[in-house]
Structure formats: structure tokens, C-alpha cells
Amino acid sequence: MENITCIKSVSDKSFRYIHKQEEAPDLSNYMVHTHDFYELLIFLEGDASFVAEGATHPLAPLDAIVTRPGEMHQIYHHTRSRYERILLNFTDSFFVNNDCSEYRRIFTDREMGRENIIRSGSMRGSAVLDAVQRIERYIREGEQVRKSRGEHRHRNDVVIRCAVIELLHALNQLKPDSAAGTPQSAAVRRAADYINRNLAGDLSLEELSERFFVSKYHLCRMFKTCMGMTIGQYITRKRILLAKSLYQDGCSLSEAALQSGFADYSSFYKACVKEFGTPPKKSLAR
């Protein structure tokens, strides 16, 4: 059973605050995935590890996890123990519209799959948890107020937004755990790092197997085991996410496809339809 104790989405949809509890999480809901937004997850209770780009990190209560758009990750549940967490999701517009772009650093100033976790020792006593308590109090104390055109806003929108910005400020003062985690395969981790740095280049199996001195068969098998998807699926998803970013930054779809490593627009179109069920113009909409 899932219990959402509080949820806050402001009218401009630039951030969400959610506090969730599940008595027995459905493990099929926690597969490897990516987001198109920045996420902070504060782990409160459970028997789980965090997996990012092929490395595994055991979790303890009050560990905080940061992920950015395009970062492959999952919460891996060892058992169906009670799972509780707080989630904050941000789009780029939140940082821009609130003149706090520097607070993205905690999400972006690192390599994919590294320095994702701020351990509980740093979180305890920090201003982050104080801000969380105030956000939840402001949500409880306020109420939804109807605006024009059927839209709604929260009566405490302004103070909630200010507390969230303060939370981000405090989060950026904390030092992420620099431990690399337990690599499920050193070869897969090196291959994933290389892929993320060279999405527009030659990422054929022949090129990767020669570069990392491993057979194509072995690399494919290890990648599937560690990442939960084939190496081809991983590359395609990463290229689509790069194309989406380029498109939203003003490139045409054709330009975005070529700059993301697709051979031509046709292969990009087919990949988007297979991934999202809709053509690029709709699935990658600004």
C-alpha cells in the first residue's frame, strides 16, 4: 500500500515536493530509468541500495541522492521492507526564474554516476532537514486556492518556494560522498563513461570491444546484467536525451539528431517512436 502524505506542485510546474511511504514496495516499479528533470531524494526508511551508471551504493536513513537529466539510475530494493522517502524535482526553469542557477552545481558539477550521495552524517543537523520540516508545515497549514481557468495554487506558494530555495542553498554547502561505489563491472563502468563522453562518435560494438579489450559477446552480456538493458538500448536512450536537450535549446530536430550521433533523421525518428510511442516533434516537445 502506498501513502502519499504530502505533495506540492506549484502552478508553474517548475518543481514538485512529494513525501511517499510504501508498506511493501512493488519491486517492478523500480527499474533502471532516467528523468528529464533534476531530482533530490532523501532516503528515510527501507532496505535498498542506489545504483547509478553501473555502480551500487548501500543506503542508510537520511542519505540524500542527487540525479540530473539523463543519468541512468534506480533504487534497488533488497527486500519488500517499508520504503519511505522525500522527493524534490526541479526543471531548469526553477533555477532560472528564481535567479539561483548556481544551486544546480550539486547536480551537475560531477561525472555521471559519481558523487550522487550526501551521506546521513552530513545531512544530520544540516539546514536541509530544517527546511524540509518547514516545507511540510507550510503545506499542511495552507490549502489549495482556485485561480482563473480552473488552475490551482497553494496559499503558501511563496513561503514554500523560499524554503525550497533555502534547502538548495544548504544542500550545496554539503560535500557528496566521493566513494565510487561498488562497480558491478569495471569494464561496464569504463564503457558507460566513454559512451557518455562520446555520444556523437562511433559507438559500434566493434569500436567498444577493441577499446576496452573485451569480446563483443562478453561486453553485451555484462552490460545487460549491470545496467538492466542492452548496450544498444543504453546508447539509444542517451542519444535521444541529448537530442532532446539540443532541440529544447533551439536546434532543429534534424540538427539535434545528427549532433547526438544518429546516422540520419530516419533512424532518430524510429528510435523515438520505439522509445516513447510518438514521433520526435511530440515526444521531445519543448
Side-chain angles (χ1 to χ4, degrees):
M1 184 180 70
E2 181 177 78
N3 180 26
I4 302 176
T5 57
C6 60
I7 179 168
K8 176 67 182 71
S9 293
V10 296
S11 55
D12 67 4
K13 307 300 182 186
S14 65
F15 81 92
R16 276 195 313 175
Y17 179 95
I18 306 170
H19 187 155
K20 281 188 176 183
Q21 304 164 3
E22 291 173 89
E23 292 303 324
D26 182 349
L27 305 189
S28 65
N29 292 334
Y30 296 93
M31 307 303 288
V32 177
H33 63 284
T34 63
H35 301 142
D36 59 1
F37 49 79
Y38 304 91
E39 181 171 84
L40 167 66
L41 184 152
I42 302 175
F43 182 78
L44 299 178
E45 184 178 358
D47 180 17
S49 295
F50 173 71
V51 182
E53 300 288 348
T56 301
H57 308 260
L59 293 174
L62 294 185
D63 283 348
I65 302 165
V66 293
T67 53
R68 68 175 186 256
E71 197 162 19
M72 292 284 186
H73 65 280
Q74 74 175 130
I75 300 295
Y76 179 81
H77 293 272
H78 302 285
T79 63
R80 297 189 67 196
S81 300
R82 186 175 186 271
Y83 177 40
E84 183 177 4
R85 71 280 196 197
I86 289 168
L87 297 161
L88 287 96
N89 304 146
F90 307 92
T91 66
D92 272 312
S93 62
F94 180 86
F95 298 98
V96 173
N97 294 342
N98 292 287
D99 196 25
C100 61
S101 294
E102 69 273 19
Y103 294 157
R104 266 183 302 215
R105 291 196 312 268
I106 194 72
F107 300 95
T108 60
D109 286 6
R110 55 183 182 78
E111 293 185 37
M112 288 275 194
R114 288 179 168 81
E115 298 189 341
N116 294 87
I117 300 181
I118 300 167
R119 291 298 182 185
S120 57
S122 298
M123 288 287 288
R124 286 192 178 91
S126 73
V128 173
L129 298 181
D130 178 64
V132 164
Q133 291 176 353
R134 285 186 285 112
I135 291 166
E136 297 214 356
R137 186 174 76 247
Y138 297 149
I139 292 172
R140 289 195 304 270
E141 291 173 351
E143 61 184 31
Q144 295 290 333
V145 178
R146 187 178 180 84
K147 294 176 65 180
S148 61
R149 301 178 185 176
E151 296 179 351
H152 291 78
R153 67 173 179 83
H154 196 281
R155 191 180 297 277
N156 285 340
D157 260 1
V158 174
V159 291
I160 291 170
R161 182 183 294 271
C162 289
V164 169
I165 294 171
E166 184 180 348
L167 180 151
L168 286 168
H169 169 76
L171 189 69
N172 274 267
Q173 310 309 307
L174 302 180
K175 187 173 178 58
D177 185 1
S178 60
T182 303
Q184 294 169 311
S185 165
V188 168
R189 186 61 179 264
R190 290 195 301 271
D193 287 345
Y194 179 79
I195 289 167
N196 280 295
R197 291 194 301 269
N198 297 278
L199 286 170
D202 179 9
L203 295 178
S204 64
L205 275 175
E206 290 77 9
E207 163 65 18
L208 294 173
S209 64
E210 288 179 13
R211 179 171 292 274
F212 297 106
F213 306 103
V214 60
S215 73
K216 292 185 286 185
Y217 170 78
H218 192 52
L219 181 60
C220 288
R221 185 176 60 82
M222 289 191 302
F223 214 94
K224 176 70 172 178
T225 299
C226 295
M227 294 293 196
M229 64 186 69
T230 68
I231 194 166
Q233 289 171 328
Y234 181 85
I235 292 168
T236 298
R237 287 189 187 182
K238 290 286 186 167
R239 283 177 165 166
I240 289 174
L241 289 165
L242 176 57
K244 180 175 183 177
S245 176
L246 292 169
Y247 177 52
Q248 293 181 343
D249 285 343
C251 283
S252 69
L253 284 170
S254 296
E255 291 171 339
L258 293 176
Q259 290 183 38
S260 301
F262 288 96
D264 49 44
Y265 183 77
S266 176
S267 59
F268 170 60
Y269 183 96
K270 290 175 183 176
C272 283
V273 171
K274 184 175 181 180
E275 183 75 14
F276 302 111
T278 55
K281 194 166 186 179
K282 185 173 182 180
S283 56
L284 307 187
R286 291 178 174 86

